[in-house]
Amino acid sequence: MYLFGDPATWLPLAFATLMGLSILIYVVLDGFDLGVGVLFPFADKDEKDRMIASIGPFWDANETWLVLAIGILLVAFPTAHGTILTALYLPVAVMLIGLILRGVSFEFRVKAPVHHKTAWDRAFYVGSMMTSLSQGYMLGMYIMGLEMTAFTLAFSALTAVFLTVAYSFIGATWLILKTEGALQRKAVRWSKGGIWGVVLGLGAISIASPLVSQRIFDKWFSVPEFFLLMPLPLMSAALVVLLWMALRRLPTRDDSWAWFPFSATIVLFVLGFFGMAYSFYPFIVPDQLTIYEAASAPESLFIILIGTCFVLPMILGYTALAYTVFRGKATALSYD
Amino acid sequence: MDTLILSRMQFGANISFHILFPTITIALGWVLLFFRLRLAGTGDQKWADAYRFWVKVFALSFAMGVVSGITMSFQFGTNWPGFMESVGNIAGPLLAYEVMTAFFLEAVFLGIMLFGMSKVPGWLHTLSTFLVAFGTTMSAFWILVLNSWMHTPAGFEMRDGVAFATDWWAIIFNPSMPYRLVHMLLASGLTVAFLLTGLSAFRWLIGDRSNGVQATLKTGVIIGAVLIPLQILAGDFHGLNTLEHQPQKVAAMEGNWDTGPNTPLVLFGIPDEQTRSTDFEISIPNGASLILKHSADGVVPGLNDFIAEDGTVQHPPVAPVFFSFRIMVATGMAMLLLSWTAVVFMARKRRGIEGLPRPLLWAMVPMAVSGWIATLAGWYTTEIGRQPWLVQGVLTTEAAVADVPAPMVASTLIVYLSIYAALLAAYVGVLFYLARKATMGEPAGPTFHVAQEAQVTVAAE
């Protein structure tokens, strides 16, 4: 058990990494299928079916990453779990209701009588919006240290909008990859219309985090950290420029580069995530509770870690299998 | 109302809504695998029809289960932070294993099972169906381990109010786990059996004479007839186990106030905690002693033993446990009566479904939800029966509740309740709509690639 030194030091770090990884995977994966929901009102009837077909086989597993992330928070950092979730009681409730609405709408829209379909489509849209907005709001509140003032509320309202637009952007880039023809052209337009959400979202977080916390300010704006970290914003800026250039040329005649916007957006999300992780480490409740203070007993963490080492690669493996089986352009969903 | 009771109502509403759907998917996964294998083995299209109809029910139920399950995983933190702070070292790993070994498995392979029929080889599709069924069962295993541990905690020690694991084997195989797991899995099997029977009877009654309907009706009746006696037996064992570890719960179930021999079995009555007596009692002399102690003068514990010297009540609220238990048992008896009567009619002159009288078929339709009623009543019995404890003898429910303003809990509770009511209505409505649509005849989908699949199965054997 003391193979890598004191487990009280490396176990919390290992679990914080696992949790961060789950959140990142969740934001990317459920990000695109939430985004598809956010874009729903802009699509016509047939396009809606095609959009659902592009995410139908995946959404359920995508949401499981949220359960894993919250599970790790619950399991590995129980005190932080209580503090964060009771502070975010209402937005969590809004998110859960949103997830319920959109999750069941996938099924009901095709199984309920045809004249109910419009209503379930609306429920799918409303659910996706509630989920995205509340997640953006929670992100803002978290950056603001979970404190409730007029300013933090205003900031969180902004991040709510930015994240929702950012989700719609990654959703649109997913559709560029998974669709063709008129819908693909539409998806390119949606991407152009949504890219500001990503830019402003990343920008707002980058500006606000160091201003709110002196600690984060020092972590970024001291020498040599400042120069070591420069590649992060520079790479992000370069990616945004590349994305814009690609979007202006898409769709191409032979569908080449259709993969690019989605992949570039994933990298962008990853970069943003690393920036945030760097800012907040080692705190799990910003400037209040570190991962070391909040961690569960090493014995319990160890028993989970052993399982994780075996199971996580398997999960990643069969997730990859599912994405391989349903690769290529989305076709109409059928049980046959 | 205060935050505690509102939080209990909220979690109770949530978990009640949630359990309806896993109860279906756990067993329906295996039934679908059965249909799938019969199809591969016989090539008979009736199994394809059965699969095609019930996989829709499965997909819908699964989605309902997933979304309400996500809600629960968050409510541990929003409403019951004390739970994880106190017993997180035990509950945490069990929940983590549930997510890792069950949730991902079922969620990922569900996609292939539902939409991959024409995209993957037959064996991989059958394997996916198996893995989904296996995943739902694993999920049931882990969550029942945790739930049982909350009733009969073992393998831990308390240090400064926090539980630390000392023996994982003892934690997982805690005293009530095997009984509770078997009881719940059988409950799932029965729920699906009666749902199969009920919906198929409905289709038959509105004129569907297809072989697929006959096959599912027969499957449902037989599963029900086989499982219900096993369930009654398992329930009896579970009750004896509860008597050993949580006598106050059994006392509330029986509505027995004073400890003593020759305790009657109360068939009906209205327990009154104020007067500490049961009004309008109809009972069988020595019945409870016979059932619980297997002798007429066996001593059965009474509720009055669970009043502390300072007058604090340490037993659960009596009336809800007492009535839930009776509803569960009565539903079980109705299931026994219905399924065995059906078997007798079907076996007579070997007439099968044709031999079932119409009134019996009509009785099967409302009994489609009998599994739900019995499952909920059973869970209320055991969970309310654990009060005032959240973890028996370790943590009270009151100590675990979040310090959230009551109006906040109340307002979200109202929203949850209205959504659950609407979704439940939509769900039941869609089940019967699908049944009607299937009867009217859907545009026939492409037939299964049976020949190819049968070969694969033969080759695999």
Side-chain angles (χ1 to χ4, degrees), chain B residues 400-435:
Chain B
V401 76
D403 184 20
V404 177
M408 211 135 101
V409 187
S411 54
T412 48
L413 173 64
I414 291 167
V415 180
Y416 280 125
L417 283 179
S418 22
I419 288 188
Y420 290 158
L423 287 183
L424 204 56
Y427 176 85
V428 175
V430 165
L431 285 196
F432 281 93
Y433 170 75
L434 286 175

Side-chain angles (χ1 to χ4, degrees), chain A residues 15 21 26 38 43 66 75 83 85 91 94 97 104 112 117 121 173 206-208 229 234 239 265 289 295 324 329 336:
Chain A
F15 275 88
L21 197 65
Y26 171 75
V38 171
L66 177 68
V75 166
T83 314
L85 287 189
V94 172
I97 291 162
V104 299
K117 193 170 175 182
D121 278 347
T173 59
S206 312
I207 295 169
L229 290 165
L234 288 180
L239 271 173
T265 311
L289 194 65
T324 315
K329 300 295 179 189
D336 294 308

Side-chain angles (χ1 to χ4, degrees), chain A:
Chain A
M1 201 160 170
Y2 284 85
L3 196 60
F4 307 109
D6 186 6
T9 317
W10 64 265
L11 268 174
L13 185 60
F15 275 88
T17 311
L18 270 179
M19 185 174 70
L21 197 65
S22 309
I23 294 176
L24 178 60
I25 296 177
Y26 171 75
V27 168
V28 168
L29 294 185
D30 213 28
F32 78 70
D33 71 51
L34 282 166
V36 168
V38 171
L39 291 168
F40 235 45
F42 304 110
D44 68 30
K45 254 169 113 180
D46 291 339
E47 289 168 349
K48 284 189 175 115
D49 287 343
R50 193 47 59 93
M51 286 158 76
I52 289 282
S54 78
I55 54 178
F58 308 115
W59 73 272
D60 191 348
N62 292 350
E63 278 184 9
T64 308
W65 290 100
L66 177 68
V67 179
L68 182 64
I70 203 68
I72 295 176
L73 179 63
L74 179 85
V75 166
F77 309 105
T79 40
H81 180 260
T83 314
I84 295 173
L85 287 189
T86 40
L88 298 173
Y89 191 90
L90 280 183
V92 165
V94 172
M95 177 185 78
L96 293 174
I97 291 162
L99 285 172
I100 292 174
L101 280 180
R102 65 177 247 113
V104 299
S105 302
F106 273 100
E107 296 297 332
F108 277 121
R109 70 187 290 280
V110 285
K111 294 191 175 65
V114 180
H115 59 276
H116 291 168
K117 193 170 175 182
T118 325
W120 287 112
D121 278 347
R122 200 170 304 136
F124 180 68
Y125 166 67
V126 171
S128 305
M129 283 298 279
M130 284 168 77
T131 309
S132 309
L133 285 170
S134 54
Q135 286 179 359
Y137 174 86
M138 288 189 270
L139 177 68
M141 278 313 242
Y142 184 81
I143 290 168
M144 290 289 132
L146 300 173
E147 272 175 47
M148 190 88 91
T149 65
F151 175 74
T152 61
L153 277 177
F155 178 80
S156 305
L158 272 184
T159 49
V161 174
F162 293 160
L163 187 76
T164 305
V165 179
Y167 278 169
S168 82
F169 177 73
I170 194 170
T173 59
W174 168 258
L175 290 174
I176 295 176
L177 172 67
K178 296 296 279 185
T179 63
E180 51 209 337
L183 181 54
Q184 194 186 34
R185 284 195 292 280
K186 243 183 175 174
V188 173
R189 281 210 301 283
W190 292 334
S191 310
K192 285 182 189 161
I195 196 166
W196 61 270
V198 185
V199 176
L200 290 185
L202 287 175
I205 294 168
S206 312
I207 295 169
S209 319
L211 289 184
V212 171
S213 159
Q214 183 64 39
R215 189 185 55 78
I216 295 177
F217 186 92
D218 293 340
K219 278 184 97 167
W220 284 85
F221 298 101
S222 52
V223 182
E225 282 85 349
F226 181 75
F227 295 102
L228 291 174
L229 290 165
M230 267 326 266
L232 221 53
L234 288 180
M235 274 167 71
S236 308
L239 271 173
V240 170
V241 173
L242 283 176
L243 264 170
W244 186 251
M245 283 164 56
L247 287 175
R248 287 187 56 181
R249 285 169 180 76
L250 280 169
T252 52
R253 211 175 289 270
D254 57 352
D255 207 40
S256 59
W257 293 90
W259 57 272
F260 179 76
F262 183 61
S263 317
T265 311
I266 293 177
V267 179
L268 211 51
F269 274 43
V270 173
L271 290 176
F273 181 82
F274 272 110
M276 267 197 74
Y278 174 76
S279 296
F280 285 97
Y281 176 84
F283 287 93
I284 188 155
V285 181
D287 291 334
Q288 286 178 38
L289 194 65
T290 67
I291 54 173
Y292 304 104
E293 294 159 353
S296 302
E299 305 85 299
S300 293
L301 289 182
F302 206 75
I303 205 113
I304 306 172
L305 193 66
I306 296 170
T308 311
C309 292
F310 286 102
V311 181
L312 201 61
M314 283 169 65
I315 293 174
L316 293 173
Y318 53 68
T319 303
L321 171 73
Y323 278 86
T324 315
V325 167
F326 298 102
R327 69 187 176 279
K329 300 295 179 189
T331 49
L333 287 184
S334 133
Y335 285 169
D336 294 308

Side-chain angles (χ1 to χ4, degrees), chain B residues 171-406:
Chain B
I171 290 171
I172 293 176
F173 295 94
N174 65 74
S176 65
M177 191 282 276
Y179 302 94
R180 207 178 304 274
L181 179 64
V182 170
H183 202 40
M184 181 62 210
L185 291 181
L186 286 171
S188 173
L190 283 165
T191 304
V192 169
F194 281 87
L195 187 67
L196 284 171
T197 313
L199 271 192
S200 306
F202 176 72
R203 283 173 67 177
W204 182 270
L205 284 166
I206 58 172
D208 192 334
R209 293 290 181 274
S210 66
N211 292 334
V213 165
Q214 301 208 24
T216 47
L217 212 163
K218 202 174 146 199
T219 309
V221 168
I222 291 175
I223 298 177
V226 171
L227 292 190
I228 187 70
L230 293 177
Q231 180 69 312
I232 292 170
L233 196 65
D236 183 50
F237 278 114
H238 189 20
L240 295 179
N241 176 265
T242 307
L243 178 66
E244 191 183 335
H245 296 279
Q246 296 171 302
Q248 72 279 22
K249 187 193 290 181
V250 175
M253 282 154 66
E254 299 294 346
N256 184 36
W257 299 95
D258 294 307
T259 303
N262 302 90
T263 308
L265 177 70
V266 182
L267 294 180
F268 181 77
I270 298 175
D272 185 342
E273 276 192 59
Q274 299 302 317
T275 61
R276 302 199 71 75
S277 62
T278 305
D279 304 329
F280 311 110
E281 195 177 292
I282 304 170
S283 53
I284 302 173
N286 300 337
S289 290
L290 274 171
I291 289 178
L292 292 166
K293 295 290 179 180
H294 299 227
S295 91
D297 56 0
V299 176
V300 172
L303 289 158
N304 291 338
D305 280 7
F306 300 93
I307 302 287
E309 286 190 1
D310 61 357
T312 20
V313 178
Q314 289 171 331
H315 63 70
V318 183
V321 177
F322 180 86
F323 286 117
S324 310
F325 178 63
R326 267 147 199 76
I327 291 171
M328 177 187 76
V329 172
T331 314
M333 292 304 152
M335 288 170 147
L336 181 70
L337 188 68
L338 183 73
S339 58
W340 282 34
T341 314
V343 167
V344 169
F345 275 107
M346 282 162 67
R348 243 180 23 175
K349 300 178 198 156
R350 298 186 152 268
R351 290 186 64 204
I353 313 300
E354 304 279 353
L356 293 174
R358 283 183 82 81
L360 193 65
L361 284 161
W362 274 115
M364 285 172 176
V365 179
M367 284 293 278
V369 295
S370 58
W372 275 5
I373 293 168
T375 304
L376 282 182
W379 275 110
Y380 289 151
T381 306
T382 198
E383 295 295 293
I384 300 174
R386 192 189 52 222
Q387 303 302 327
W389 297 103
L390 183 55
V391 180
Q392 180 78 39
V394 175
L395 176 71
T396 61
T397 311
E398 199 178 352
V401 76
D403 184 20
V404 177

